Amino acid sequence: EEEEEEEEEEEKGQIRQQRRQNVGNTTKTLLSRFESLTKKMDSSWRAFESKCKNSAKASIRMTDVPLPNAPPPPSPPSPFARRGSNSESTQGREDLAEQLGEGGQQPEIIDILEKMFHINESRARKEMRKLFLRWHPDKFSRKIGPKLLTFERKMVESRVSRFARFLTAITDKMNNEE
């Protein structure tokens, strides 16, 4: 009986050790992906800023904007919906996050940041702050808006605004988990 108990304890110990190794490997993979993705996004942003500085007025296209695989715009509201029932001003942040996730992939950077928040909170918050500053709708419109092609300006600004609201919803979620 004692031998069986010892073997059982040894087996449990091996299982625990294997789980710790798996968690360690997952964390390393996540950190590696986080580093790779942030470097790629920063590089794309620097190239975009350089293009904006060197371009004439109204020459930047939607495809030039390195918005992190943002979700697609929502479908237009039903003409039968009550007025104001679907307005963004009355919609809760949780509903907004769900809505933004529908019909498209959640931006990979947000998915990784949510996971990073549990591993290295300060680093995740630092990256979120950088994204907020970069994609703040008013700052973006003031700095980049005049350089956007006129017929694409509203669409670009709408996508930037939606991404910023998505960031806000995710940040609220992270803050509520504390």
Side-chain angles (χ1 to χ4, degrees), residues 20-145:
R20 279 193 292 266
Q21 284 176 338
N22 288 344
V23 168
N25 290 340
T26 301
T27 301
K28 287 178 187 174
T29 302
L30 181 64
L31 287 170
S32 172
R33 185 65 191 136
F34 176 76
E35 289 296 325
S36 170
L37 191 57
T38 55
K39 282 180 184 176
K40 181 180 171 187
M41 285 176 22
D42 289 345
S43 174
S44 296
W45 181 257
R46 283 191 301 276
F48 175 67
E49 280 186 318
S50 176
K51 183 173 184 166
C52 287
K53 286 178 186 174
N54 298 328
S55 66
K57 266 191 161 192
S59 62
I60 303 294
R61 302 188 58 88
M62 173 77 176
T63 55
D64 296 330
V65 181
L67 195 61
N69 59 338
S75 54
S78 164
F80 303 107
R82 285 189 306 144
R83 277 191 152 197
S85 65
N86 196 24
S87 75
E88 291 176 5
S89 61
T90 60
Q91 205 171 21
R93 293 215 194 279
E94 297 81 19
D95 295 337
L96 180 61
E98 285 179 28
Q99 175 191 349
L100 287 169
E102 288 177 3
Q105 289 282 343
Q106 171 169 292
E108 184 179 15
I109 186 62
I110 299 300
D111 185 44
I112 290 175
L113 281 170
E114 283 182 308
K115 293 173 184 164
M116 278 291 294
F117 184 77
H118 299 288
I119 296 169
N120 188 336
E121 180 181 346
S122 64
R123 198 153 170 210
R125 287 189 184 281
K126 182 180 176 185
E127 190 63 28
M128 286 295 283
R129 179 167 168 66
K130 184 168 66 173
L131 289 171
F132 270 121
L133 293 174
R134 188 174 285 171
W135 298 109
H136 187 279
D138 294 334
K139 289 181 181 188
F140 186 88
S141 292
R142 187 175 58 247
K143 186 176 179 180
I144 309 293

Side-chain angles (χ1 to χ4, degrees), residues 132-164:
F132 270 121
L133 293 174
R134 188 174 285 171
W135 298 109
H136 187 279
D138 294 334
K139 289 181 181 188
F140 186 88
S141 292
R142 187 175 58 247
K143 186 176 179 180
I144 309 293
K147 303 243 178 175
L148 294 169
L149 288 174
T150 308
F151 63 92
E152 292 187 344
R153 182 175 298 144
K154 286 206 183 290
M155 182 177 23
V156 171
E157 289 176 348
S158 171
R159 304 250 353 240
V160 168
S161 179
R162 289 177 54 73
F163 186 71

